[in-house]
Amino acid sequence: MTVLRDPLAKLCGRLMLGLALLLLGFAAAPAQAVTLNGEGRLCHAVSGSDVPDGSLESLRYACAGTPEGYHRGSLWLRTDPAKVVLARGDLALLVHQTRFDRLAVAFTYADGQTRWQQVRQGDYGSHWRAGGQILFEAPERSAKLSSVTLRFDRLASYGLMRARLLPKGEAVVQSTGMAVGVGAALTLLLVSGIYSLSLAVAVRRQYLAWQAGWSATMLVWGALWSQAHLALFPGLAGTVSAQLATLLACFAIAVATASAVLAIERSVVPRWLRTGALSLGAIVGVIGIPLALIRSDSLAAWGNVLGLLVVTDLIAVALCLGWAWRRGSVEARDFLAAWCLPMAVLAFIHIVDVDDSVWGGGSKLLVLAAATWQALWLSASATRRLATLRVERDSARESEALAQQLARRDPLTGLPNRRGFVDSVTPLLERARAEDLPAALLLVDIDRFKSINDIHGHDAGDAVLCEIGRRIARWEGTMCTAARLGGEEFGLLTVGMDGMVLARFAESVRLGIASCDHREVIGERIVTASVGVAEVRPASDFQQLYRLADEALYDAKRGGRDCVVIQRSSTAAPGEQTDREAMTSR
């Protein structure tokens, strides 16, 4: 078990280290990047949505305060020349995807020329980038770039808008790195979801199905947020994707809550705590519906309510897991270890505003990385637990098989006992009946064995039986099986031999036993045996054979011992007349 846990622990440790290094690499935007939505860097104006783009110079911009009344019209945002110095022309604008109908970007130059670029809901063209961002590159001209203007038609919330200016080369590096990081996270979530689902089907564990559902939800959410789905479904660009991402984010929290709480046995956690955690998760999932549909200033307020509920839900789940862990639940221990990083990340992003960092991925990239870690940890934990159960099950089966084998073996001689002999002769007799072969049972009884025990002791008698058992075992094969039936009596059943061939075989058994050397044990070389043989054709059942062989053995004993007596029967029916032949050798 230790050998099994160590590689999994090392694997999870390496994955955690890799994720940490990835996040450290994304930790902060380069010094060249300028975040526009802060410190009053943008001046704003509001107009009707029917105002043409060319009117940007005629609008009255305010560089202080917060814009209002823009939800059904157009919000114009222009860089403040006093706070944003555009010293170079090879600039790119990265805007975080949010809810709007159309976004037009104007690059205005010192010679008065303006170059427009735009995207609209359902059509981002080639401007979309991984990480939920939209890229606009300033055209290269000899004139100096003087200002950048953004026009949003029917923007949902100005407070959720994020935009950065940075050199084009740096934008390419960040976009590529973001694509690699997001792609890796989504791939790991996909693998984890498929693996958890296969485990759920194979072992029929409900919590594994919930875990697979959570991985699938986070996978779809990650694809929608990062805009990876636009490679296949470009028509979903814009508000629809943002709304679906919000809905799935809330649904993912509800599924994760159910996955963690339902994995714990009901008797381990108090009912009120279990019900409370599940109810909080369900409330978060339900709130996702109105939150996905809102396109007004109340979106930020609803977001604050959701954040409070998520933190409360995390505390409730942590209490459930901690309570169950203290009462010895292995599932709670694994889930608590898996939830540590996501809980820490969610707490961190609610305390610290990181939406402008991590190369523009912000809090959502951190959540995606934490979710990937959680999925990998839970998959590894489930594998470890199931592997442990499988090892224990295989060990139990091996022990059971060994016990059954020992129950069919004589511990002294190693030959099958009576029970094992009956089990082994059954297929031989069935074969003899199917192929119309003769069958014969040889009962071998050691002559005067009681006197050996009385004179030399039971240890010497056991040694004699072991030596004879080793000799009899030599005749075992596909057509013959041997056993110690009890005391000093042995048995051999053969198929396919009759007449003189059988008589010679029985005689060779008697002579083989007599040839065993026992001088080291009892001081005498020869110990003889009497052999009673029952020959039947067609083959009968074992009990009939044993009755006939026992009668033959009795005759051999009564005839002076150290001889072979054969009883032949043309049928197996009891009570029929049999032929008797005695062969004696002394």
Side-chain angles (χ1 to χ4, degrees), residues 7 124 182 214 302 305 455:
Y124 280 5
V182 170
W214 176 81
W302 277 96
V305 173
I455 298 172

Side-chain angles (χ1 to χ4, degrees), residues 71-83:
H71 299 98
R72 296 186 178 276
S74 296
L75 174 64
W76 302 71
L77 301 173
R78 193 170 195 174
T79 56
D80 186 351
K83 296 184 178 180

Side-chain angles (χ1 to χ4, degrees), residues 288-570:
I289 298 175
L291 200 62
L293 300 176
I294 291 174
R295 295 189 64 175
S296 64
D297 283 334
S298 60
L299 183 62
W302 277 96
N304 293 331
V305 173
L306 177 64
L308 179 61
L309 282 173
V310 169
V311 172
T312 306
D313 178 63
L314 290 175
I315 293 174
V317 172
L319 287 175
C320 284
L321 296 177
W323 194 299
W325 187 12
R326 292 194 62 180
R327 300 190 64 178
S329 173
V330 178
E331 290 82 2
R333 180 196 63 191
D334 292 336
F335 268 89
L336 196 59
W339 274 65
C340 282
L341 183 61
M343 285 191 292
V345 168
L346 287 173
F348 177 75
I349 64 177
H350 278 86
I351 297 173
V352 180
D353 184 6
V354 294
D355 285 335
D356 294 325
S357 60
V358 201
W359 284 9
S363 59
K364 295 180 178 60
L365 182 61
L366 294 178
V367 169
L368 182 62
T372 303
W373 156 255
Q374 184 177 6
L376 291 174
W377 180 274
L378 290 176
S379 297
S381 299
T383 302
R384 182 185 63 214
R385 286 199 306 274
L386 295 176
T388 301
L389 291 175
R390 182 173 181 177
V391 169
E392 293 175 352
R393 182 200 64 187
D394 293 344
S395 177
R397 287 181 176 177
E398 290 176 1
S399 299
E400 182 182 2
L402 180 60
Q404 292 179 353
Q405 183 179 5
L406 292 176
R408 289 170 171 77
R409 285 278 170 182
D410 173 46
L412 180 63
T413 62
L415 291 172
N417 57 19
R418 180 182 290 270
R419 179 181 175 183
F421 188 56
V422 173
D423 291 343
S424 61
V425 301
T426 301
L428 280 177
L429 291 176
E430 291 177 352
R431 177 182 176 184
R433 284 192 289 269
E435 300 179 10
D436 194 23
L437 298 174
L441 175 62
L442 287 72
L443 292 183
V444 180
D445 189 85
I446 309 303
D447 295 331
R448 301 181 178 85
F449 183 74
K450 184 177 183 301
S451 63
I452 296 176
N453 282 335
D454 293 341
I455 298 172
H456 302 283
H458 288 279
D459 289 343
D462 291 346
V464 170
L465 290 176
C466 288
E467 181 63 29
I468 294 174
R470 284 190 290 270
R471 180 58 59 93
I472 290 178
R474 296 180 182 180
W475 288 296
E476 283 190 297
T478 57
M479 304 294 284
C480 178
T481 182
R484 182 191 176 198
L485 301 180
E488 65 272 21
E489 186 175 273
F490 295 84
L492 295 97
L493 184 130
T494 67
V495 296
M497 288 192 294
D498 59 357
M500 290 303 298
V501 176
L502 177 61
R504 289 173 182 170
F505 174 71
E507 184 64 14
S508 67
V509 170
R510 185 188 68 82
L511 293 175
I513 293 174
S515 66
C516 294
D517 190 350
H518 306 286
R519 283 177 294 187
E520 292 184 3
V521 179
I522 60 176
E524 300 177 12
R525 183 181 184 279
I526 298 177
V527 173
T528 62
S530 300
V531 182
V533 183
E535 177 190 341
V536 178
R537 184 175 187 142
S540 64
D541 60 82
F542 176 74
Q543 296 299 328
Q544 180 67 12
L545 275 172
Y546 188 85
R547 184 184 65 80
L548 294 174
D550 190 54
E551 292 176 0
L553 179 60
Y554 179 76
D555 290 343
K557 290 289 188 180
R558 189 172 54 185
R561 298 182 176 85
D562 192 20
C563 64
V564 176
V565 174
I566 301 176
Q567 285 208 97
R568 294 188 175 93
S569 176
S570 58

Side-chain angles (χ1 to χ4, degrees), residues 140-199:
E140 294 186 8
R141 301 184 71 248
S142 58
K144 182 181 177 181
L145 184 65
S146 59
S147 67
V148 178
T149 305
L150 295 81
R151 177 183 181 176
F152 290 96
D153 292 344
R154 298 196 63 197
L155 178 66
S157 175
Y158 169 74
L160 298 179
M161 192 278 299
R162 295 288 186 273
R164 296 179 300 139
L165 279 173
L166 67 167
K168 292 180 182 179
E170 190 61 38
V172 172
V173 172
Q174 289 192 19
S175 299
T176 304
M178 186 70 70
V180 172
V182 170
L186 295 181
T187 301
L188 291 173
L189 282 172
L190 175 62
V191 172
S192 175
I194 295 174
Y195 182 67
S196 297
L197 182 60
S198 64
L199 284 180

Side-chain angles (χ1 to χ4, degrees), residues 219-339:
L219 173 66
V220 178
W221 171 82
L224 289 173
W225 161 74
S226 66
Q227 304 182 133
H229 67 296
L230 297 185
L232 299 176
F233 308 103
L236 291 179
T239 302
V240 174
S241 295
Q243 291 174 325
L244 289 175
T246 300
L247 180 64
L248 286 173
C250 297
F251 183 68
I253 294 175
V255 174
T257 301
S259 174
V261 176
L262 295 178
I264 306 170
E265 295 182 6
R266 292 178 179 269
S267 59
V268 177
V269 179
R271 182 176 180 181
W272 62 268
L273 182 56
R274 179 187 179 92
T275 303
L278 291 175
S279 300
L280 283 170
I283 292 173
V284 171
V286 171
I287 284 184
I289 298 175
L291 200 62
L293 300 176
I294 291 174
R295 295 189 64 175
S296 64
D297 283 334
S298 60
L299 183 62
W302 277 96
N304 293 331
V305 173
L306 177 64
L308 179 61
L309 282 173
V310 169
V311 172
T312 306
D313 178 63
L314 290 175
I315 293 174
V317 172
L319 287 175
C320 284
L321 296 177
W323 194 299
W325 187 12
R326 292 194 62 180
R327 300 190 64 178
S329 173
V330 178
E331 290 82 2
R333 180 196 63 191
D334 292 336
F335 268 89
L336 196 59
W339 274 65

